């Protein structure tokens, strides 16, 4: 039996921009996941629709915010869960707005 870990742990944000991608609703093909910049996923969505036709012109945009748990003694400040959740919602709204603009073209 091991001794209980009494180290204090904190939740922190991962990369500020997160990761993201799009999935075709027609066939479930994905643009792949990458450090999130909506332009490559948008370009992929347009090319995918050009190659496969209008039945492949609707997409689900997904953005992920990374979290990590560190020992409290490590550098950086702890992030409250509510703060991270609010940032995730703002990021998702931005990604969705960009995706709608790209698909609406």
């Amino acid at each position: 039996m091991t001794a209980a870990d009494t180290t204090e742990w904190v939740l922190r944000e991962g990369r500020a921009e997160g990761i993201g991608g799009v999935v075709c609703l027609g066939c479930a093909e994905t643009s792949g996941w990458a450090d999130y910049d909506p332009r490559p996923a948008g370009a992929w969505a347009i090319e995918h629709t050009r190659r496969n036709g209008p039945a492949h012109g609707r997409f689900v945009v997904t953005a992920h915010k990374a979290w990590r748990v560190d020992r409290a003694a490590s550098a950086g400040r702890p992030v409250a869960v509510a703060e991270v959740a609010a940032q995730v919602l703002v990021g998702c709204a931005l990604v969705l707005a960009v995706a709608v603009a790209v698909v609406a073209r």
Side-chain angles (χ1 to χ4, degrees), residues 31-44:
S31 65
W33 302 109
D35 284 349
Y36 205 73
D37 172 359
R39 293 171 296 186
W44 178 90

Side-chain angles (χ1 to χ4, degrees), residues 1-103:
M1 193 171 187
T2 60
D5 184 357
T6 58
T7 305
E8 190 173 332
W9 296 87
V10 293
L11 179 65
R12 301 182 192 284
E13 276 189 62
R15 294 184 58 101
E17 63 275 7
I19 60 171
V22 298
V23 177
C24 175
L25 291 175
C27 69
E29 190 174 338
T30 181
S31 65
W33 302 109
D35 284 349
Y36 205 73
D37 172 359
R39 293 171 296 186
W44 178 90
I46 291 168
E47 278 305 308
H48 181 77
T49 303
R50 282 185 186 145
R51 282 192 318 271
N52 298 292
H56 295 262
R58 294 177 55 221
F59 301 87
V60 172
V61 178
T62 305
H64 297 275
K65 188 77 160 176
W67 289 358
R68 68 174 196 245
V69 174
D70 291 324
R71 293 181 186 276
S74 56
R77 69 173 182 82
V79 177
V81 173
E83 180 184 342
V84 174
Q87 290 173 358
V88 169
L89 291 175
V90 168
C92 289
L94 175 63
V95 169
L96 183 58
V98 170
V100 167
V102 168
V103 173

